[in-house]
Amino acid sequence: MALGEFELIRRFFDRPTTGLVKGIGDDCAVLAPTPGHQWLVSTDMLVEGRHFLSTVSPQRLGHKALAVNLSDLAACGATPRAFFLALALPRADAAWLEGFAEGLFALADQHGIALAGGDTTAGPLNICITVMGEAPAGTALLRSGARAGDDIWVSGTLGDARLALEVFRGNVTLPGEGLDLCRTRMESPTPRVALGQALRGLATSAVDVSDGLLGDLGHVLSASGVGATLQVDALPRSAPLAAQPQVLQRLCTLTGGDDYELMFTTPPERRAEVGGAVARSGTSVKHIGRIEAEPGLRLVDAQGQAVAAPGPSFDHFREA
Ligand code: ADP
Ligand code: MG
């Protein structure tokens, strides 16, 4: 007998939870905020063929669907509390669902976040997750607070997912080890949740780099009404990317998508505190530029010479 809708939910998604007044099984989930906190809520959808290739394992897909949402909570400095899963499936394939749930809940458990509800329907594979997090009232990190003179920082390394994509497109070949690293970065990103929380009360602005650094920094600059100079040779790169021609390195670090690193700004007199936040969160960060009053984004190399932007960041409705 084929797996029915409610049997599917019960078997793969309804698990014992803590931190919810009421989870799966009613018409609404019921959640109580911690007194004095605000909710931070975000939704991200993954569509087959657009956000992931059909070759990705269901485990990695489950991980990534939640990871990209947790990355948005991280950007705002939120503590994850609960998530909702809206799933369209071409068929109720138990082996696929088992893998998907395994990847999903492994990451959920790492962050102590409960699946509180969702919706399940037949249709082309589509995964939509909504996450809810919280932060003490007034402490959410926003894109709008960057001020002239602020330092610009980015976590981890940039451009690895884009490099993996170039390999899958047949434009680049990488040795096995380098390909494993970049493929893992593309299929199984690490949301910088602890770093985001450590930056509450310290960062003047923050954003997660999901559509390419140039575009995401551009959002911060316009929301904050400022400009910036970015040191392109200071952008953090993995070993496999650092071994590529400079033009490809710049393309990947500046415009590649799917990095899920945090870019944030802090006042220059608080550098020592950035060091403390970084140490507490166990995430590396690198200083990559400065916010300026003059509008616009200026790219310079290690010698201070102007560098041209390698092209626009990703936009779903403006693809080349
Ligand atoms: P309704 O008919 O009220 O929309 P459903 O029949 O769609 O409710 O879902 C029944 C219960 O199962 C609800 O509590 C809903 O939140 C939960 N649910 C449905 N699909 C999922 C899913 N993919 N993951 C987690 N919970 C789900
Ligand atoms: Mg429903």
Side-chain angles (χ1 to χ4, degrees):
M1 253 253 294
L3 190 58
E5 176 185 339
F6 297 102
E7 166 70 4
L8 182 161
I9 295 165
R10 194 192 56 71
R11 186 163 149 201
F12 296 104
F13 299 118
D14 192 359
R15 305 190 325 160
T17 58
T18 54
L20 302 174
V21 179
K22 175 71 202 170
I24 292 175
D26 229 294
D27 291 303
C28 290
V30 184
L31 282 84
T34 303
H37 286 55
Q38 291 171 326
W39 288 118
L40 289 89
V41 185
S42 181
T43 295
D44 253 318
M45 182 155 69
L46 295 189
V47 176
E48 181 166 19
R50 177 149 284 272
H51 298 98
F52 60 92
L53 306 169
S54 57
T55 50
V56 66
S57 76
Q59 283 87 349
R60 286 192 161 189
L61 197 53
H63 171 101
K64 185 166 179 176
L66 182 57
V68 303
N69 279 278
L70 288 173
S71 180
D72 286 320
L73 288 185
C76 294
T79 303
R81 283 286 313 275
F83 69 106
F84 295 80
L85 170 67
L87 200 55
L89 296 169
R91 65 200 151 270
D93 175 342
W96 189 92
L97 280 157
E98 210 159 290
F100 179 82
E102 190 186 307
L104 181 80
F105 286 120
L107 184 64
D109 291 346
Q110 264 179 42
H111 293 278
I113 185 172
L115 178 56
D119 199 23
T120 306
T121 169
L125 184 56
N126 190 347
I127 304 155
C128 183
I129 288 185
T130 299
V131 278
M132 296 182 66
E134 57 177 26
T139 67
L141 303 176
L142 303 175
R143 298 176 176 185
S144 49
R147 295 293 170 260
D150 282 357
D151 289 318
I152 308 174
W153 310 85
V154 73
S155 65
T157 58
L158 295 171
D160 300 321
R162 176 56 183 269
L163 182 58
L165 191 61
E166 294 300 325
V167 173
F168 289 118
R169 285 173 171 169
N171 297 334
V172 175
T173 49
L174 281 183
E177 219 173 273
L179 179 57
D180 282 351
L181 182 144
C182 293
R183 183 171 189 171
T184 300
R185 295 273 294 149
M186 175 172 75
E187 294 180 348
S188 189
T190 305
R192 305 300 186 187
V193 174
L195 177 62
Q197 288 175 56
L199 292 173
R200 287 205 293 244
L202 174 58
T204 50
S205 73
V207 68
D208 72 321
V209 182
S210 55
D211 296 330
L213 182 70
L214 287 187
D216 291 316
L217 176 56
H219 296 317
V220 169
L221 299 184
S222 53
S224 299
V226 292
T229 292
L230 197 63
Q231 310 281 342
V232 298
D233 292 331
L235 298 175
R237 275 151 290 184
S238 66
L241 184 54
Q244 301 304 313
Q246 187 188 62
V247 57
L248 182 59
Q249 290 189 39
R250 287 187 177 166
L251 179 83
C252 291
T253 52
L254 289 167
T255 68
D258 267 358
D259 291 312
Y260 303 105
E261 296 296 347
L262 294 191
M263 197 210 67
F264 59 96
T265 56
T266 57
E269 65 275 11
R270 302 190 69 180
R271 275 197 189 168
E273 291 166 83
V274 174
V278 166
R280 277 203 305 287
S281 67
T283 311
S284 66
V285 306
K286 198 146 187 298
H287 183 261
I288 59 167
R290 183 167 309 283
I291 298 292
E292 293 160 345
E294 189 189 341
L297 179 56
R298 292 158 288 281
L299 307 180
V300 297
D301 66 14
Q303 285 73 46
Q305 298 296 309
V307 170
S313 278
F314 186 72
D315 179 323
H316 279 287
F317 295 102
R318 283 195 201 147
E319 282 175 84

